[in-house]
């Protein structure tokens, strides 16, 4: 889908009212050709006598990738969360720390969004260059404490990651899958043991519709 600045302005106004109670200031809304980020939120600082003021908030959405309208909207709301945290002066543990994740998970749950912590993308996802049969190598983990984890893994590192998993007692069960599901769009292709914690319902849904693979018998694009 091709988007315009007017699309972003319309969506921002609607989502500000529906998701943030109309509390967000109006930022500059811009399109970019960034190839490493789907979106970004920036601002400037100026010092006052006893405080620091943030101003000139700017949200940029990349048009370098062929996204659906829903995906673009999820990217915008992701950046609006960053704007909310900065504007309200909230202190988080990291750029995508506990405060960010709490807001993101609430909006995903209550409004049917599909935001993720990472807004980064791989260069192979350039507009016009995403093959319909793009296949991801997915690692699904059930942990002893009940957590569920999903990862998109760089195939070159899958065997070493799998061997390491065999020595970790906190892992109750591991399974490898191949998937073409757009849910994994934007997941980093990890080279080490990292994953995204998901709810059990989503974990069961995704693993139920993916194809189980045995390492060394199927490659990914």
């Amino acid at each position: 889908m091709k988007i315009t600045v007017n699309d972003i302005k319309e969506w921002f106004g609607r989502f500000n009212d529906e998701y943030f109670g109309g509390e967000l200031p109006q930022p500059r809304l811009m399109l970019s050709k960034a190839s490493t980020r789907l979106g970004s939120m920036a601002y400037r600082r100026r010092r006052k006598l006893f405080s620091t003021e943030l101003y000139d908030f700017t949200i940029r959405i990349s048009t370098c990738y062929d996204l659906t309208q829903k995906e673009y909207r999820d990217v915008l709301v992701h950046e609006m969360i960053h704007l909310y945290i900065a504007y309200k002066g909230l202190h988080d543990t990291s750029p995508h720390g506990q405060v960010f994740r709490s807001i993101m998970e609430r909006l995903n749950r209550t409004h049917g969004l599909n935001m993720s912590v990472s807004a980064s993308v791989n260069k192979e996802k350039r507009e016009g260059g995403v093959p319909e049969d793009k296949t991801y190598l997915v690692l699904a983990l059930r942990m002893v404490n009940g957590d569920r984890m999903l990862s998109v893994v760089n195939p070159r590192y899958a065997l070493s990651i799998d061997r390491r998993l065999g020595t970790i007692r906190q892992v109750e069960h591991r399974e490898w899958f191949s998937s073409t599901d757009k849910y994994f769009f934007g997941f980093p292709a990890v080279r080490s043991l990292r994953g995204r914690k998901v709810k059990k319902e989503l974990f069961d849904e995704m693993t139920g519709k993916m194809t189980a693979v045995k390492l060394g018998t199927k490659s990914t694009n």
Side-chain angles (χ1 to χ4, degrees):
M1 175 188 175
K2 300 289 186 181
I3 62 169
T4 66
V5 172
N6 285 336
D7 290 327
I8 302 174
K9 288 180 178 178
E10 178 187 345
W11 297 341
F12 180 90
R14 186 194 315 171
F15 299 153
N16 189 15
D17 290 338
E18 293 180 4
Y19 304 161
F20 299 93
E23 296 185 63
L24 297 182
Q26 180 64 52
R28 289 193 297 162
L29 297 168
M30 305 175 66
L31 302 178
S32 78
K33 284 291 186 181
S35 62
T36 58
R37 303 291 296 179
L38 292 175
S40 64
M41 194 286 294
Y43 52 82
R44 297 184 181 182
R45 300 175 185 266
R46 57 186 167 210
R47 293 190 178 278
K48 292 191 170 184
L49 186 58
F50 298 109
S51 64
T52 299
E53 180 185 28
L54 306 185
Y55 72 104
D56 195 21
F57 294 98
T58 303
I59 289 177
R60 292 180 174 86
I61 304 296
S62 175
T63 60
C64 191
Y65 302 89
D66 188 16
L67 305 185
T68 65
Q69 183 180 92
K70 185 178 187 308
E71 288 168 335
Y72 275 123
R73 289 177 173 180
D74 286 342
V75 172
L76 176 60
V77 179
H78 178 115
E79 303 309 328
M80 291 173 73
I81 297 175
H82 285 303
L83 174 60
Y84 180 86
I85 291 172
Y87 180 67
K88 290 292 187 177
L90 303 179
H91 296 285
D92 208 349
T93 54
S94 68
H96 294 113
Q98 294 177 359
V99 176
F100 181 95
R101 288 170 184 266
S102 174
I103 298 172
M104 179 190 72
E105 291 171 0
R106 174 176 58 81
L107 293 178
N108 280 345
R109 182 176 63 254
T110 58
H111 296 283
L113 304 180
N114 190 32
M115 289 180 290
S116 63
V117 168
S118 174
S120 63
V121 295
N122 298 322
K123 289 186 178 180
E124 70 236 32
K125 298 190 177 78
R126 287 185 184 278
E127 180 179 3
V130 183
E132 291 294 330
D133 60 348
K134 170 67 181 178
T135 304
Y136 302 96
L137 179 61
V138 179
L139 171 62
L141 298 176
R142 291 203 313 265
M143 311 301 289
V144 172
N145 66 0
D147 286 347
R148 303 293 195 273
M149 311 287 289
L150 292 173
S151 300
V152 171
V153 177
N154 184 319
R156 295 182 180 180
Y157 297 84
L159 286 174
S160 63
I161 290 175
D162 192 66
R163 284 193 293 267
R164 184 182 175 194
L165 284 168
T167 67
I168 300 177
R169 286 180 292 179
Q170 292 90 336
V171 176
E172 181 179 66
H173 180 77
R174 69 185 186 274
E175 194 167 4
W176 295 88
F177 297 91
S178 66
S179 176
T180 58
D181 199 297
K182 289 185 177 180
Y183 169 78
F184 296 106
F185 186 97
F187 271 61
V190 301
R191 302 181 179 186
S192 59
L193 188 52
R194 291 187 292 131
R196 182 175 299 175
K197 186 166 74 171
V198 298
K199 293 185 179 299
K200 180 181 183 299
E201 294 77 13
L202 177 59
F203 181 91
D204 291 343
E205 175 188 348
M206 297 306 298
T207 56
K209 64 183 180 180
M210 293 190 292
T211 302
V213 298
K214 186 176 180 179
L215 291 184
T217 62
K218 185 173 181 65
S219 62
T220 58
N221 296 326

